[in-house]
Amino acid sequence: MTNNISFKMGHVLIKVADLNEAIKDYEKLGFTVVLGSTIEKATNAMIYFEDGSFIELFTASLGKLDGFVLGLLKIFRKLSPIKIDRYLNYLSANEGLTDFALDSSPEGSFMTNITRLGKNGITLSKPISMKRVDSKGCERKWQLAFAEDFKLPFFMDVYTPKFIPSQEEFTHPNGVTSISQLVIAVDKYDYFVDNYKKMTTNYTESALESQFHFGDCCVTLQKSNTFEMKELHLNASKPLDLTHKKTHGVKLIVD
């Protein structure tokens, strides 16, 4: 197994039914929320942090076309099963924590890292080129690779041109400063632990719970009978209680 692989937490995806409503709700919670593109075309919005990680609120709904698109994806699944299976999960998922991405560290090591992941036994899609025009009108391009199992994270390259959020964008009135932990309940515990070991050598393992460290953030796997992305833990500069708030299906915990 190749051990010279380094990732950090990239971003966590939260599916929401109504993007505009979710933006208003998260702003009420004290977050600064930035649209992912122009108001007319936005299907996502970001909550940025100074360390480069962020939370992405996104909507996968196409309204009345959902059923039609779902059918097309199933028909053409064999052409790109790894990519389409993950999109199908996005469409069928309820509101809440849906997926997350790991970024290569240091920057520029994306291709090296995904090659090493492949040698470690993680089946990945070929690098997929992406682009979007952000809310400031700048076209940004990047690459990503999906793990074959959509319950595993996907892997991101840096944006070109590089995006650095402003202090105004990563400063939140509620005092939240970064993501500290993502807790995931897993049904095939040994399988998931084995796969995460292929992504990092910095981990602690036990019979019921294991923690895998990616930069300053950790992913905690808990043995369970079902798979569920359970909790998103955040660091904050002041006490903050987000329980019983409207978070669109997410259990947010401030450590």
Side-chain angles (χ1 to χ4, degrees):
M1 184 178 294
T2 301
N3 294 326
N4 190 21
I5 301 178
S6 179
F7 291 105
K8 63 181 180 178
M9 176 58 70
H11 66 285
V12 177
L13 284 78
I14 297 174
K15 181 181 177 180
V16 298
D18 185 306
L19 183 62
N20 291 328
E21 180 183 344
I23 290 172
K24 292 177 183 177
D25 290 334
Y26 272 81
E27 287 177 337
K28 289 177 182 177
L29 293 175
F31 291 101
T32 300
V33 185
V34 181
L35 282 174
S37 61
T38 59
I39 295 175
E40 298 80 12
K41 297 182 179 180
T43 58
N44 62 354
M46 318 302 184
I47 298 172
Y48 292 114
F49 302 111
E50 188 174 7
D51 65 2
S53 64
F54 61 93
I55 295 169
E56 178 181 352
L57 307 174
F58 79 99
T59 178
S61 176
L62 299 172
K64 295 180 180 179
L65 294 176
D66 278 358
F68 175 72
V69 172
L70 192 63
L72 281 180
L73 287 174
K74 289 180 178 179
I75 291 172
F76 292 104
R77 178 186 175 277
K78 63 181 180 181
L79 299 177
S80 184
I82 295 177
K83 181 178 180 180
I84 289 178
D85 280 351
R86 196 166 292 252
Y87 287 165
L88 287 171
N89 179 57
Y90 292 168
L91 285 172
S92 62
N94 295 322
E95 280 197 316
L97 294 167
T98 309
D99 204 353
F100 73 103
L102 295 175
D103 292 353
S104 287
S105 178
E107 293 180 2
S109 57
F110 171 73
M111 289 302 301
T112 300
N113 277 350
I114 63 171
T115 298
R116 289 171 176 167
L117 286 175
K119 290 180 179 179
N120 283 354
I122 294 182
T123 302
L124 299 167
S125 68
K126 294 180 180 179
I128 301 169
S129 297
M130 307 287 288
K131 65 179 180 179
R132 68 176 173 87
V133 177
D134 66 19
S135 59
K136 299 174 183 177
C138 178
E139 182 179 84
R140 302 194 186 276
K141 299 180 180 180
W142 71 97
Q143 287 187 303
L144 57 81
F146 291 131
E148 181 178 37
D149 187 342
F150 63 77
K151 293 179 180 179
L152 295 174
F154 63 99
F155 305 91
M156 284 257 309
D157 197 2
V158 294
Y159 292 108
T160 304
K162 185 176 179 179
F163 174 72
I164 301 175
S166 66
Q167 185 170 357
E168 183 180 32
E169 290 172 328
F170 66 67
T171 301
H172 306 284
N174 60 15
V176 172
T177 57
S178 61
I179 299 169
S180 62
Q181 182 181 192
L182 178 63
V183 179
I184 307 174
V186 295
D187 46 353
K188 298 179 290 184
Y189 184 70
D190 291 342
Y191 162 81
F192 282 100
V193 168
D194 287 345
N195 273 281
Y196 274 82
K197 285 180 181 178
K198 298 171 183 176
M199 303 175 204
T200 180
T201 57
N202 187 2
Y203 63 85
T204 56
E205 181 183 1
S206 69
L208 298 177
E209 180 176 288
S210 296
Q211 291 189 323
F212 297 84
H213 297 272
F214 300 101
D216 294 327
C217 180
C218 83
V219 176
T220 299
L221 302 181
Q222 296 179 343
K223 191 171 185 178
S224 177
N225 293 322
T226 58
F227 181 90
E228 179 190 6
M229 295 182 70
K230 288 178 60 178
E231 302 168 2
L232 182 61
H233 291 239
L234 306 169
N235 293 314
S237 60
K238 58 186 178 182
L240 180 65
D241 184 6
L242 296 177
T243 57
H244 309 300
K245 304 293 185 180
K246 190 172 182 182
T247 58
H248 293 262
V250 182
K251 186 174 182 179
L252 292 176
I253 299 174
V254 176
D255 295 326

